[in-house]
Amino acid sequence: MGSADLVGSLAAALSMVTFAPQALRVIRTRDTAAISLTTYVIVVVSTALWGVYGALIASIPVVAANIVNGGFALVILVLKARAVLVAKEP
């Protein structure tokens, strides 16, 4: 593993760790009042695009990080959208 892959893997791991607590809290409490729907739409789209980019350049760290982060963000987005649609939240 080269230096670039090592740095990419470390960055990917740290990035994944940042989304996990928020996703787990939202799953556990179902409280999304303080979360921006627009932000999570953008996060889900950006992680999908980064994942495609990672696949195009054949970078496993980029692909893996964006699959995991995209999954966490998608869970939060779905729960937030559900709360907005049933008019629990603005």
Side-chain angles (χ1 to χ4, degrees), residues 18-85:
T18 63
F19 272 96
Q22 182 71 60
L24 294 174
R25 182 179 183 282
V26 168
I27 291 166
R28 200 171 31 246
T29 66
R30 300 285 192 225
D31 179 16
T32 60
I35 293 173
S36 166
L37 181 62
T38 304
T39 296
Y40 273 87
V41 168
I42 293 167
V43 169
V44 168
V45 171
S46 71
T47 57
L49 291 172
W50 274 110
V52 170
Y53 172 73
L56 291 172
I57 65 168
S59 174
I60 292 172
V62 173
V63 172
N66 285 288
I67 287 172
V68 173
N69 288 343
F72 285 143
L74 187 60
V75 167
I76 294 168
L77 176 62
V78 167
L79 292 172
K80 177 62 177 185
R82 186 181 302 165
V84 168
L85 290 174

Short mmCIF file of all heavy atoms in Angstrom, two decimals, residues 18-85:
data_model
loop_
_atom_site.label_atom_id
_atom_site.label_comp_id
_atom_site.label_asym_id
_atom_site.label_seq_id
_atom_site.Cartn_x
_atom_site.Cartn_y
_atom_site.Cartn_z
N THR A 18 -17.20 10.04 11.78
CA THR A 18 -17.94 11.27 12.03
C THR A 18 -19.44 11.12 11.81
O THR A 18 -20.22 11.78 12.49
CB THR A 18 -17.44 12.45 11.17
OG1 THR A 18 -17.66 12.15 9.80
CG2 THR A 18 -15.97 12.74 11.42
N PHE A 19 -19.85 10.28 10.88
CA PHE A 19 -21.28 10.12 10.60
C PHE A 19 -21.96 9.13 11.54
O PHE A 19 -23.16 9.24 11.79
CB PHE A 19 -21.50 9.65 9.16
CG PHE A 19 -21.60 10.76 8.18
CD1 PHE A 19 -20.50 11.18 7.47
CD2 PHE A 19 -22.81 11.41 7.97
CE1 PHE A 19 -20.58 12.21 6.57
CE2 PHE A 19 -22.92 12.44 7.05
CZ PHE A 19 -21.80 12.85 6.35
N ALA A 20 -21.23 8.17 12.05
CA ALA A 20 -21.82 7.10 12.85
C ALA A 20 -22.59 7.60 14.08
O ALA A 20 -23.74 7.19 14.29
CB ALA A 20 -20.77 6.08 13.23
N PRO A 21 -22.03 8.48 14.91
CA PRO A 21 -22.77 8.90 16.11
C PRO A 21 -24.09 9.59 15.78
O PRO A 21 -25.11 9.35 16.44
CB PRO A 21 -21.81 9.87 16.81
CG PRO A 21 -20.46 9.50 16.31
CD PRO A 21 -20.67 9.04 14.90
N GLN A 22 -24.09 10.44 14.76
CA GLN A 22 -25.33 11.13 14.38
C GLN A 22 -26.37 10.14 13.89
O GLN A 22 -27.54 10.20 14.27
CB GLN A 22 -25.06 12.17 13.29
CG GLN A 22 -26.29 12.97 12.90
CD GLN A 22 -26.72 13.93 13.98
OE1 GLN A 22 -25.97 14.80 14.36
NE2 GLN A 22 -27.92 13.78 14.49
N ALA A 23 -25.96 9.22 13.03
CA ALA A 23 -26.89 8.22 12.50
C ALA A 23 -27.44 7.35 13.62
O ALA A 23 -28.66 7.10 13.68
CB ALA A 23 -26.21 7.37 11.44
N LEU A 24 -26.58 6.88 14.51
CA LEU A 24 -27.05 6.03 15.60
C LEU A 24 -28.00 6.77 16.54
O LEU A 24 -29.00 6.22 16.99
CB LEU A 24 -25.85 5.48 16.38
CG LEU A 24 -24.97 4.51 15.58
CD1 LEU A 24 -23.72 4.14 16.37
CD2 LEU A 24 -25.74 3.28 15.17
N ARG A 25 -27.72 8.04 16.79
CA ARG A 25 -28.61 8.83 17.65
C ARG A 25 -29.97 9.01 17.00
O ARG A 25 -31.01 8.87 17.65
CB ARG A 25 -27.99 10.20 17.95
CG ARG A 25 -28.85 11.03 18.87
CD ARG A 25 -28.20 12.39 19.17
NE ARG A 25 -28.98 13.15 20.10
CZ ARG A 25 -30.08 13.82 19.79
NH1 ARG A 25 -30.54 13.82 18.57
NH2 ARG A 25 -30.73 14.50 20.71
N VAL A 26 -29.99 9.32 15.71
CA VAL A 26 -31.26 9.52 15.01
C VAL A 26 -32.04 8.21 14.94
O VAL A 26 -33.26 8.19 15.13
CB VAL A 26 -31.02 10.10 13.59
CG1 VAL A 26 -32.28 10.05 12.75
CG2 VAL A 26 -30.53 11.54 13.70
N ILE A 27 -31.36 7.11 14.70
CA ILE A 27 -32.04 5.81 14.67
C ILE A 27 -32.63 5.49 16.05
O ILE A 27 -33.78 5.05 16.15
CB ILE A 27 -31.06 4.70 14.24
CG1 ILE A 27 -30.69 4.87 12.76
CG2 ILE A 27 -31.65 3.32 14.49
CD1 ILE A 27 -29.49 4.05 12.32
N ARG A 28 -31.86 5.74 17.08
CA ARG A 28 -32.30 5.41 18.44
C ARG A 28 -33.44 6.31 18.91
O ARG A 28 -34.41 5.84 19.49
CB ARG A 28 -31.10 5.52 19.38
CG ARG A 28 -31.25 4.80 20.67
CD ARG A 28 -29.97 4.72 21.51
NE ARG A 28 -29.06 5.84 21.37
CZ ARG A 28 -27.84 5.76 20.83
NH1 ARG A 28 -27.39 4.63 20.37
NH2 ARG A 28 -27.07 6.82 20.76
N THR A 29 -33.33 7.62 18.68
CA THR A 29 -34.31 8.57 19.23
C THR A 29 -35.41 8.97 18.24
O THR A 29 -36.44 9.46 18.65
CB THR A 29 -33.61 9.86 19.69
OG1 THR A 29 -33.08 10.54 18.54
CG2 THR A 29 -32.54 9.57 20.71
N ARG A 30 -35.15 8.81 16.96
CA ARG A 30 -36.05 9.26 15.88
C ARG A 30 -36.23 10.78 15.90
O ARG A 30 -37.13 11.32 15.28
CB ARG A 30 -37.42 8.59 15.96
CG ARG A 30 -37.40 7.09 15.86
CD ARG A 30 -37.14 6.67 14.44
NE ARG A 30 -37.40 5.24 14.29
CZ ARG A 30 -36.60 4.43 13.65
NH1 ARG A 30 -35.50 4.88 13.10
NH2 ARG A 30 -36.88 3.17 13.52
N ASP A 31 -35.35 11.48 16.60
CA ASP A 31 -35.42 12.94 16.69
C ASP A 31 -34.55 13.56 15.60
O ASP A 31 -33.33 13.45 15.64
CB ASP A 31 -34.94 13.40 18.07
CG ASP A 31 -34.96 14.92 18.22
OD1 ASP A 31 -35.60 15.61 17.40
OD2 ASP A 31 -34.32 15.40 19.18
N THR A 32 -35.20 14.21 14.65
CA THR A 32 -34.48 14.87 13.55
C THR A 32 -34.77 16.36 13.49
O THR A 32 -34.47 17.01 12.49
CB THR A 32 -34.84 14.22 12.20
OG1 THR A 32 -36.24 14.36 11.98
CG2 THR A 32 -34.44 12.76 12.15
N ALA A 33 -35.33 16.90 14.54
CA ALA A 33 -35.75 18.31 14.54
C ALA A 33 -34.61 19.27 14.23
O ALA A 33 -34.81 20.27 13.54
CB ALA A 33 -36.40 18.67 15.88
N ALA A 34 -33.42 19.00 14.71
CA ALA A 34 -32.30 19.92 14.53
C ALA A 34 -31.49 19.62 13.26
O ALA A 34 -30.45 20.22 13.05
CB ALA A 34 -31.38 19.86 15.74
N ILE A 35 -31.99 18.73 12.43
CA ILE A 35 -31.25 18.33 11.23
C ILE A 35 -31.87 18.98 10.00
O ILE A 35 -33.09 19.00 9.84
CB ILE A 35 -31.26 16.79 11.10
CG1 ILE A 35 -30.44 16.20 12.24
CG2 ILE A 35 -30.74 16.35 9.75
CD1 ILE A 35 -30.50 14.71 12.33
N SER A 36 -31.03 19.51 9.14
CA SER A 36 -31.48 20.16 7.92
C SER A 36 -31.73 19.13 6.81
O SER A 36 -30.83 18.38 6.44
CB SER A 36 -30.41 21.15 7.45
OG SER A 36 -30.66 21.56 6.13
N LEU A 37 -32.95 19.12 6.30
CA LEU A 37 -33.30 18.23 5.19
C LEU A 37 -32.44 18.55 3.97
O LEU A 37 -31.88 17.65 3.33
CB LEU A 37 -34.78 18.35 4.87
CG LEU A 37 -35.32 17.46 3.74
CD1 LEU A 37 -35.17 15.99 4.09
CD2 LEU A 37 -36.77 17.80 3.45
N THR A 38 -32.31 19.83 3.66
CA THR A 38 -31.52 20.25 2.50
C THR A 38 -30.07 19.78 2.61
O THR A 38 -29.50 19.27 1.64
CB THR A 38 -31.56 21.78 2.34
OG1 THR A 38 -32.92 22.20 2.25
CG2 THR A 38 -30.80 22.24 1.12
N THR A 39 -29.49 19.92 3.78
CA THR A 39 -28.12 19.49 3.97
C THR A 39 -27.97 18.00 3.69
O THR A 39 -27.03 17.58 3.00
CB THR A 39 -27.65 19.80 5.41
OG1 THR A 39 -27.66 21.22 5.58
CG2 THR A 39 -26.25 19.25 5.67
N TYR A 40 -28.87 17.19 4.20
CA TYR A 40 -28.72 15.75 4.01
C TYR A 40 -29.04 15.31 2.59
O TYR A 40 -28.50 14.31 2.12
CB TYR A 40 -29.47 14.96 5.09
CG TYR A 40 -28.56 14.80 6.27
CD1 TYR A 40 -28.48 15.75 7.26
CD2 TYR A 40 -27.69 13.72 6.34
CE1 TYR A 40 -27.59 15.64 8.30
CE2 TYR A 40 -26.78 13.59 7.38
CZ TYR A 40 -26.73 14.55 8.35
OH TYR A 40 -25.83 14.43 9.37
N VAL A 41 -29.88 16.03 1.88
CA VAL A 41 -30.06 15.75 0.45
C VAL A 41 -28.72 15.98 -0.27
O VAL A 41 -28.27 15.14 -1.05
CB VAL A 41 -31.17 16.62 -0.18
CG1 VAL A 41 -31.13 16.55 -1.70
CG2 VAL A 41 -32.53 16.21 0.34
N ILE A 42 -28.08 17.09 0.04
CA ILE A 42 -26.78 17.41 -0.58
C ILE A 42 -25.73 16.38 -0.17
O ILE A 42 -24.94 15.92 -1.01
CB ILE A 42 -26.34 18.84 -0.21
CG1 ILE A 42 -27.29 19.85 -0.86
CG2 ILE A 42 -24.90 19.10 -0.63
CD1 ILE A 42 -27.16 21.27 -0.33
N VAL A 43 -25.70 15.97 1.09
CA VAL A 43 -24.72 14.99 1.55
C VAL A 43 -24.90 13.66 0.83
O VAL A 43 -23.93 13.05 0.38
CB VAL A 43 -24.79 14.81 3.08
CG1 VAL A 43 -23.98 13.60 3.53
CG2 VAL A 43 -24.33 16.06 3.80
N VAL A 44 -26.13 13.21 0.68
CA VAL A 44 -26.39 11.93 0.00
C VAL A 44 -25.96 12.01 -1.46
O VAL A 44 -25.30 11.11 -1.98
CB VAL A 44 -27.87 11.51 0.15
CG1 VAL A 44 -28.22 10.36 -0.79
CG2 VAL A 44 -28.16 11.12 1.59
N VAL A 45 -26.31 13.09 -2.14
CA VAL A 45 -25.91 13.24 -3.54
C VAL A 45 -24.39 13.34 -3.66
O VAL A 45 -23.78 12.69 -4.52
CB VAL A 45 -26.59 14.47 -4.19
CG1 VAL A 45 -26.02 14.76 -5.56
CG2 VAL A 45 -28.10 14.25 -4.29
N SER A 46 -23.76 14.10 -2.77
CA SER A 46 -22.30 14.25 -2.86
C SER A 46 -21.58 12.94 -2.57
O SER A 46 -20.59 12.61 -3.24
CB SER A 46 -21.79 15.37 -1.95
OG SER A 46 -21.87 15.01 -0.60
N THR A 47 -22.05 12.15 -1.60
CA THR A 47 -21.39 10.88 -1.33
C THR A 47 -21.58 9.92 -2.50
O THR A 47 -20.66 9.15 -2.82
CB THR A 47 -21.85 10.22 -0.02
OG1 THR A 47 -23.26 10.05 -0.05
CG2 THR A 47 -21.44 11.03 1.18
N ALA A 48 -22.72 9.97 -3.14
CA ALA A 48 -22.93 9.12 -4.33
C ALA A 48 -21.95 9.52 -5.43
O ALA A 48 -21.32 8.65 -6.06
CB ALA A 48 -24.37 9.23 -4.82
N LEU A 49 -21.81 10.81 -5.66
CA LEU A 49 -20.88 11.28 -6.70
C LEU A 49 -19.43 10.94 -6.35
O LEU A 49 -18.66 10.53 -7.21
CB LEU A 49 -21.05 12.78 -6.92
CG LEU A 49 -22.37 13.19 -7.58
CD1 LEU A 49 -22.52 14.71 -7.57
CD2 LEU A 49 -22.48 12.64 -8.98
N TRP A 50 -19.05 11.10 -5.09
CA TRP A 50 -17.69 10.74 -4.67
C TRP A 50 -17.47 9.24 -4.83
O TRP A 50 -16.38 8.79 -5.19
CB TRP A 50 -17.42 11.15 -3.23
CG TRP A 50 -16.94 12.56 -3.10
CD1 TRP A 50 -17.62 13.62 -2.58
CD2 TRP A 50 -15.66 13.07 -3.51
NE1 TRP A 50 -16.84 14.74 -2.64
CE2 TRP A 50 -15.64 14.44 -3.21
CE3 TRP A 50 -14.54 12.51 -4.11
CZ2 TRP A 50 -14.55 15.24 -3.47
CZ3 TRP A 50 -13.45 13.31 -4.37
CH2 TRP A 50 -13.47 14.66 -4.05
N GLY A 51 -18.50 8.45 -4.56
CA GLY A 51 -18.38 7.00 -4.74
C GLY A 51 -18.16 6.63 -6.20
O GLY A 51 -17.32 5.78 -6.53
N VAL A 52 -18.89 7.29 -7.10
CA VAL A 52 -18.70 7.07 -8.54
C VAL A 52 -17.29 7.49 -8.94
O VAL A 52 -16.60 6.78 -9.67
CB VAL A 52 -19.77 7.82 -9.36
CG1 VAL A 52 -19.44 7.80 -10.85
CG2 VAL A 52 -21.14 7.21 -9.11
N TYR A 53 -16.87 8.64 -8.46
CA TYR A 53 -15.51 9.11 -8.75
C TYR A 53 -14.47 8.09 -8.28
O TYR A 53 -13.54 7.75 -9.00
CB TYR A 53 -15.27 10.47 -8.07
CG TYR A 53 -13.84 10.93 -8.15
CD1 TYR A 53 -13.30 11.40 -9.34
CD2 TYR A 53 -13.02 10.91 -7.02
CE1 TYR A 53 -11.98 11.82 -9.41
CE2 TYR A 53 -11.71 11.33 -7.08
CZ TYR A 53 -11.19 11.78 -8.28
OH TYR A 53 -9.88 12.19 -8.35
N GLY A 54 -14.65 7.59 -7.06
CA GLY A 54 -13.73 6.60 -6.53
C GLY A 54 -13.68 5.35 -7.40
O GLY A 54 -12.62 4.78 -7.63
N ALA A 55 -14.83 4.94 -7.90
CA ALA A 55 -14.87 3.77 -8.79
C ALA A 55 -14.16 4.07 -10.10
O ALA A 55 -13.41 3.22 -10.62
CB ALA A 55 -16.32 3.36 -9.05
N LEU A 56 -14.35 5.26 -10.62
CA LEU A 56 -13.72 5.64 -11.90
C LEU A 56 -12.19 5.68 -11.79
O LEU A 56 -11.49 5.36 -12.76
CB LEU A 56 -14.25 6.98 -12.39
CG LEU A 56 -15.71 6.97 -12.86
CD1 LEU A 56 -16.19 8.40 -13.13
CD2 LEU A 56 -15.89 6.10 -14.09
N ILE A 57 -11.69 6.08 -10.62
CA ILE A 57 -10.23 6.12 -10.45
C ILE A 57 -9.70 4.87 -9.75
O ILE A 57 -8.53 4.79 -9.41
CB ILE A 57 -9.77 7.39 -9.72
CG1 ILE A 57 -10.29 7.43 -8.28
CG2 ILE A 57 -10.16 8.65 -10.49
CD1 ILE A 57 -9.64 8.49 -7.41
N ALA A 58 -10.61 3.91 -9.51
CA ALA A 58 -10.25 2.64 -8.87
C ALA A 58 -9.61 2.82 -7.49
O ALA A 58 -8.60 2.22 -7.18
CB ALA A 58 -9.36 1.80 -9.78
N SER A 59 -10.22 3.67 -6.68
CA SER A 59 -9.72 3.93 -5.33
C SER A 59 -10.64 3.28 -4.30
O SER A 59 -11.74 3.80 -4.02
CB SER A 59 -9.62 5.44 -5.07
OG SER A 59 -9.27 5.67 -3.73
N ILE A 60 -10.19 2.18 -3.75
CA ILE A 60 -11.01 1.47 -2.76
C ILE A 60 -11.31 2.34 -1.54
O ILE A 60 -12.46 2.35 -1.07
CB ILE A 60 -10.34 0.13 -2.38
CG1 ILE A 60 -10.38 -0.81 -3.58
CG2 ILE A 60 -11.03 -0.50 -1.16
CD1 ILE A 60 -9.59 -2.08 -3.42
N PRO A 61 -10.35 3.10 -0.99
CA PRO A 61 -10.69 3.94 0.16
C PRO A 61 -11.80 4.96 -0.13
O PRO A 61 -12.68 5.17 0.70
CB PRO A 61 -9.37 4.65 0.50
CG PRO A 61 -8.31 3.76 -0.03
CD PRO A 61 -8.89 3.14 -1.27
N VAL A 62 -11.75 5.56 -1.30
CA VAL A 62 -12.78 6.55 -1.65
C VAL A 62 -14.13 5.87 -1.80
O VAL A 62 -15.15 6.35 -1.29
CB VAL A 62 -12.40 7.33 -2.95
CG1 VAL A 62 -13.53 8.23 -3.40
CG2 VAL A 62 -11.13 8.14 -2.72
N VAL A 63 -14.17 4.74 -2.49
CA VAL A 63 -15.43 4.02 -2.68
C VAL A 63 -15.98 3.55 -1.33
O VAL A 63 -17.16 3.77 -1.02
CB VAL A 63 -15.24 2.83 -3.64
CG1 VAL A 63 -16.49 1.97 -3.69
CG2 VAL A 63 -14.88 3.32 -5.04
N ALA A 64 -15.14 2.91 -0.53
CA ALA A 64 -15.60 2.36 0.75
C ALA A 64 -16.13 3.44 1.69
O ALA A 64 -17.21 3.29 2.29
CB ALA A 64 -14.47 1.60 1.42
N ALA A 65 -15.40 4.52 1.81
CA ALA A 65 -15.83 5.61 2.70
C ALA A 65 -17.16 6.17 2.27
O ALA A 65 -18.03 6.45 3.10
CB ALA A 65 -14.78 6.72 2.72
N ASN A 66 -17.36 6.32 0.98
CA ASN A 66 -18.60 6.92 0.51
C ASN A 66 -19.78 5.97 0.53
O ASN A 66 -20.92 6.40 0.67
CB ASN A 66 -18.36 7.57 -0.86
CG ASN A 66 -17.59 8.85 -0.68
OD1 ASN A 66 -18.12 9.83 -0.20
ND2 ASN A 66 -16.31 8.81 -0.99
N ILE A 67 -19.52 4.68 0.44
CA ILE A 67 -20.61 3.72 0.63
C ILE A 67 -21.09 3.77 2.08
O ILE A 67 -22.30 3.85 2.35
CB ILE A 67 -20.16 2.29 0.24
CG1 ILE A 67 -20.04 2.17 -1.27
CG2 ILE A 67 -21.13 1.24 0.80
CD1 ILE A 67 -19.43 0.86 -1.75
N VAL A 68 -20.16 3.75 3.02
CA VAL A 68 -20.53 3.78 4.43
C VAL A 68 -21.16 5.12 4.80
O VAL A 68 -22.25 5.17 5.39
CB VAL A 68 -19.31 3.49 5.33
CG1 VAL A 68 -19.64 3.69 6.80
CG2 VAL A 68 -18.82 2.07 5.09
N ASN A 69 -20.51 6.21 4.45
CA ASN A 69 -21.04 7.54 4.77
C ASN A 69 -22.38 7.79 4.08
O ASN A 69 -23.29 8.37 4.68
CB ASN A 69 -20.05 8.63 4.39
CG ASN A 69 -18.86 8.67 5.31
OD1 ASN A 69 -18.89 8.10 6.40
ND2 ASN A 69 -17.80 9.30 4.88
N GLY A 70 -22.48 7.37 2.84
CA GLY A 70 -23.74 7.51 2.12
C GLY A 70 -24.86 6.73 2.78
O GLY A 70 -26.00 7.20 2.86
N GLY A 71 -24.54 5.55 3.28
CA GLY A 71 -25.54 4.76 4.00
C GLY A 71 -26.03 5.45 5.26
O GLY A 71 -27.23 5.54 5.51
N PHE A 72 -25.08 5.94 6.05
CA PHE A 72 -25.45 6.67 7.26
C PHE A 72 -26.29 7.91 6.91
O PHE A 72 -27.31 8.17 7.54
CB PHE A 72 -24.21 7.13 8.04
CG PHE A 72 -23.50 6.03 8.79
CD1 PHE A 72 -22.12 6.03 8.87
CD2 PHE A 72 -24.20 5.02 9.44
CE1 PHE A 72 -21.44 5.05 9.58
CE2 PHE A 72 -23.53 4.04 10.14
CZ PHE A 72 -22.14 4.04 10.21
N ALA A 73 -25.84 8.66 5.93
CA ALA A 73 -26.55 9.88 5.54
C ALA A 73 -27.94 9.56 4.99
O ALA A 73 -28.90 10.30 5.24
CB ALA A 73 -25.73 10.66 4.52
N LEU A 74 -28.05 8.48 4.24
CA LEU A 74 -29.34 8.10 3.68
C LEU A 74 -30.33 7.72 4.78
O LEU A 74 -31.51 8.09 4.71
CB LEU A 74 -29.16 6.95 2.69
CG LEU A 74 -30.41 6.56 1.89
CD1 LEU A 74 -30.92 7.74 1.07
CD2 LEU A 74 -30.08 5.38 0.98
N VAL A 75 -29.88 7.03 5.79
CA VAL A 75 -30.75 6.69 6.92
C VAL A 75 -31.26 7.98 7.57
O VAL A 75 -32.46 8.12 7.84
CB VAL A 75 -30.01 5.82 7.95
CG1 VAL A 75 -30.77 5.73 9.27
CG2 VAL A 75 -29.76 4.43 7.38
N ILE A 76 -30.37 8.91 7.83
CA ILE A 76 -30.77 10.18 8.45
C ILE A 76 -31.74 10.92 7.54
O ILE A 76 -32.76 11.44 7.99
CB ILE A 76 -29.53 11.04 8.76
CG1 ILE A 76 -28.69 10.36 9.84
CG2 ILE A 76 -29.93 12.45 9.20
CD1 ILE A 76 -27.31 10.96 10.03
N LEU A 77 -31.44 10.97 6.24
CA LEU A 77 -32.31 11.65 5.28
C LEU A 77 -33.70 11.04 5.26
O LEU A 77 -34.71 11.76 5.27
CB LEU A 77 -31.69 11.62 3.88
CG LEU A 77 -32.54 12.21 2.76
CD1 LEU A 77 -32.81 13.68 2.99
CD2 LEU A 77 -31.85 11.99 1.41
N VAL A 78 -33.79 9.73 5.21
CA VAL A 78 -35.10 9.07 5.17
C VAL A 78 -35.90 9.37 6.43
O VAL A 78 -37.10 9.70 6.36
CB VAL A 78 -34.94 7.55 4.97
CG1 VAL A 78 -36.24 6.80 5.23
CG2 VAL A 78 -34.45 7.25 3.55
N LEU A 79 -35.26 9.29 7.59
CA LEU A 79 -35.97 9.59 8.83
C LEU A 79 -36.39 11.05 8.91
O LEU A 79 -37.49 11.37 9.38
CB LEU A 79 -35.12 9.19 10.03
CG LEU A 79 -34.91 7.68 10.19
CD1 LEU A 79 -33.91 7.39 11.29
CD2 LEU A 79 -36.22 6.97 10.45
N LYS A 80 -35.55 11.96 8.43
CA LYS A 80 -35.90 13.38 8.41
C LYS A 80 -37.05 13.63 7.44
O LYS A 80 -38.01 14.33 7.77
CB LYS A 80 -34.68 14.23 8.03
CG LYS A 80 -34.97 15.71 7.91
CD LYS A 80 -35.43 16.32 9.23
CE LYS A 80 -35.64 17.82 9.10
NZ LYS A 80 -35.97 18.44 10.38
N ALA A 81 -36.98 13.05 6.25
CA ALA A 81 -38.05 13.24 5.25
C ALA A 81 -39.37 12.69 5.77
O ALA A 81 -40.42 13.30 5.60
CB ALA A 81 -37.66 12.58 3.95
N ARG A 82 -39.30 11.55 6.42
CA ARG A 82 -40.51 10.96 6.99
C ARG A 82 -41.12 11.89 8.04
O ARG A 82 -42.33 12.10 8.08
CB ARG A 82 -40.20 9.60 7.60
CG ARG A 82 -41.43 8.87 8.08
CD ARG A 82 -41.12 7.53 8.71
NE ARG A 82 -40.41 6.68 7.78
CZ ARG A 82 -39.75 5.59 8.14
NH1 ARG A 82 -39.69 5.24 9.41
NH2 ARG A 82 -39.15 4.85 7.25
N ALA A 83 -40.28 12.48 8.90
CA ALA A 83 -40.76 13.40 9.92
C ALA A 83 -41.39 14.64 9.30
O ALA A 83 -42.42 15.12 9.76
CB ALA A 83 -39.63 13.79 10.86
N VAL A 84 -40.78 15.15 8.24
CA VAL A 84 -41.32 16.33 7.57
C VAL A 84 -42.64 16.00 6.88
O VAL A 84 -43.61 16.76 6.96
CB VAL A 84 -40.30 16.89 6.54
CG1 VAL A 84 -40.94 17.93 5.63
CG2 VAL A 84 -39.10 17.47 7.25
N LEU A 85 -42.71 14.86 6.23
CA LEU A 85 -43.92 14.48 5.49
C LEU A 85 -45.14 14.23 6.40
O LEU A 85 -46.25 14.48 6.00
CB LEU A 85 -43.66 13.26 4.62
CG LEU A 85 -42.76 13.51 3.43
CD1 LEU A 85 -42.42 12.21 2.72
CD2 LEU A 85 -43.39 14.50 2.46
#
